[in-house]
Amino acid sequence: MSKAIKKIGVLTSGGDAPGMNAAIRAIVRTCSFHDVMCVGIFRGFQGLVEGDFEVLGPRDVNYIINKGGTILKTARSVAFRSEEGRKTAYENLKNAGIDALIVIGGDGSFTGAMILSKEYDIPVMGIPGTIDNDIHGTSHTIGFDTALNTVVDAVDKIRDTASSHKRLFFVEVMGRDAGHIALNAGIGAGAEEILIPEENMGMERLLESLKKSKKSGKSSSIVIVAEGEKLGKNVFEIGEYVETNLPEYEVRVSVLGHMQRGGAPSCFDRVLASRLSVKAVETLLAGERNYMVGLINDQVALTPLEQAVKGHSPIDQELLRVSDIITI
């Protein structure tokens, strides 16, 4: 029989994502609803190693649902990667009376949680918080929708100047290993081309596509490039290649960078974070452990953490087809 859980710890790890605060809020208040104490762990696994803990109650999470970033902060932890560091982390959890741990982050964060659980038999739950939307076991990660809206808003503004000066803009968005942001935002912003790691377009095909756009009467173009795209060493090299081979285009490059992580979370991300967090707490209280809570077919679902980490989130083939059709 599982040990009764009376105190749950929560931490955010990896890159910050809009909606993490909404998740923290929901976890704290769900714990309170079920008469369970909640402990906030600051600076991710590094705070776990250093014992940077604080008991959180419902009023401690007032007015954070609309804030980007994470009130618990996040940090890389070299110490946690060592056996000694994880032993210290476990001892800190034990001394604080924490019975279970909820980790909000991506696959790297989930890997750390799984290792800790395996070594010290600590029940853990994962909540997917990453703008890249690259976690297996969920159609949406917390922060993805907000990042998309941020990118589309920025590209809309860039298009204004692109059309005014008849320029070709390459806009780099986040997505080192996955092109979900680029593909969705590219369609939403009406980009003429979308370059993602999953689909190797090739320089010559890119040139032919841009030539075709020019002949069709387009005086300006937007190309969305995921940062993990392998056509060139970086987006600037791609831009230089196109400008050299298509001198009729005046090329500019814009890298959106970390602005994609910031800002108030969208309503979708706030609701998603709340739904997943309530389920995470109640799953632990039901005696279950080592799952990631995700969204599948608009229903909250559980995926074993190991599957979430080892699996991958494939690119939507229907969206690729839509993109090919409407970017002519």
Side-chain angles (χ1 to χ4, degrees):
M1 183 176 177
S2 299
K3 175 187 173 183
I5 292 175
K6 299 179 180 179
K7 189 181 289 188
I8 294 175
V10 56
L11 62 83
T12 51
S13 177
D16 62 292
M20 281 185 164
N21 282 327
I24 295 165
R25 172 181 180 270
I27 289 167
V28 171
R29 293 189 171 181
T30 305
C31 284
S32 179
F33 180 84
H34 290 286
D35 295 320
V36 174
M37 190 174 292
C38 186
V39 177
I41 300 164
F42 291 83
R43 295 176 295 114
F45 291 108
Q46 187 61 30
L48 203 58
V49 173
E50 296 178 6
D52 193 359
F53 303 166
E54 181 180 322
V55 175
L56 298 175
R59 301 290 73 80
D60 294 315
V61 290
N62 282 348
Y63 315 122
I64 68 169
I65 193 171
N66 61 319
K67 296 184 182 299
T70 162
I71 63 166
L72 293 179
K73 313 301 181 187
T74 180
R76 295 184 183 278
S77 179
V78 175
F80 188 78
R81 295 177 185 174
S82 68
E83 289 185 16
E84 183 181 355
R86 291 192 296 276
K87 182 179 179 182
T88 301
Y90 167 70
E91 289 173 348
N92 287 336
L93 287 172
K94 185 178 178 181
N95 292 336
I98 296 173
D99 304 308
L101 183 66
I102 296 177
V103 174
I104 307 168
D107 53 4
S109 304
F110 296 160
T111 299
M114 281 196 310
I115 293 172
L116 187 67
S117 178
K118 183 177 181 180
E119 292 178 343
Y120 296 102
D121 196 32
I122 294 287
V124 299
M125 289 291 294
I127 296 177
T130 168
I131 67 169
D132 291 331
N133 205 46
D134 58 351
I135 304 294
H136 174 72
T138 185
S139 61
H140 290 77
T141 57
I142 296 170
F144 176 58
D145 184 70
T146 305
L148 286 183
N149 286 308
T150 298
V151 171
V152 169
D153 183 61
V155 174
D156 286 347
K157 291 178 170 63
I158 288 171
R159 187 176 289 283
D160 289 343
T161 189
S163 59
S164 296
H165 294 273
K166 297 185 177 182
R167 286 172 175 163
L168 165 61
F169 265 87
F170 285 89
V171 182
E172 184 188 86
V173 301
M174 284 187 168
R176 186 177 61 230
D177 302 308
H180 298 288
I181 291 177
L183 180 57
N184 284 268
I187 292 174
E192 278 65 38
E193 284 297 343
I194 303 167
L195 307 181
I196 58 177
E198 294 88 344
E199 296 285 317
N200 188 0
M201 184 178 192
M203 284 291 198
E204 294 310 310
R205 184 181 157 201
L206 175 60
L207 291 178
E208 286 304 312
S209 176
L210 292 172
K211 287 178 183 177
K212 191 180 296 184
S213 291
K214 196 78 169 178
K215 288 180 181 178
S216 71
K218 291 184 179 181
S219 60
S220 64
S221 291
I222 300 286
V223 178
I224 302 293
V225 184
E227 62 180 322
E229 168 56 47
K230 302 300 191 296
L231 270 185
K233 292 180 181 178
N234 53 53
V235 66
F236 295 98
E237 185 175 276
I238 297 173
E240 288 174 7
Y241 181 87
V242 169
E243 193 165 39
T244 299
N245 289 274
L246 295 178
E248 62 269 32
Y249 272 114
E250 185 180 355
V251 176
R252 293 290 184 272
V253 174
S254 182
V255 178
L256 299 188
H258 285 80
M259 69 177 290
Q260 295 161 86
R261 291 194 185 280
S266 64
C267 180
F268 181 91
D269 276 328
R270 299 181 199 192
V271 174
L272 176 64
S274 300
R275 292 177 70 187
L276 301 189
S277 299
V278 169
K279 182 66 173 179
V281 172
E282 294 186 338
T283 299
L284 284 172
L285 297 182
E288 302 289 342
R289 58 164 67 191
N290 295 11
Y291 284 102
M292 183 198 77
V293 187
L295 193 69
I296 299 177
N297 297 324
D298 200 35
Q299 298 297 313
V300 178
L302 299 175
T303 299
L305 269 179
E306 189 172 3
Q307 289 184 22
V309 169
K310 290 185 177 179
H312 69 282
S313 179
I315 207 73
D316 190 325
Q317 295 299 314
E318 181 189 3
L319 283 183
L320 282 174
R321 182 173 175 274
V322 168
S323 172
D324 287 340
I325 291 171
I326 65 176
T327 55
I328 62 172

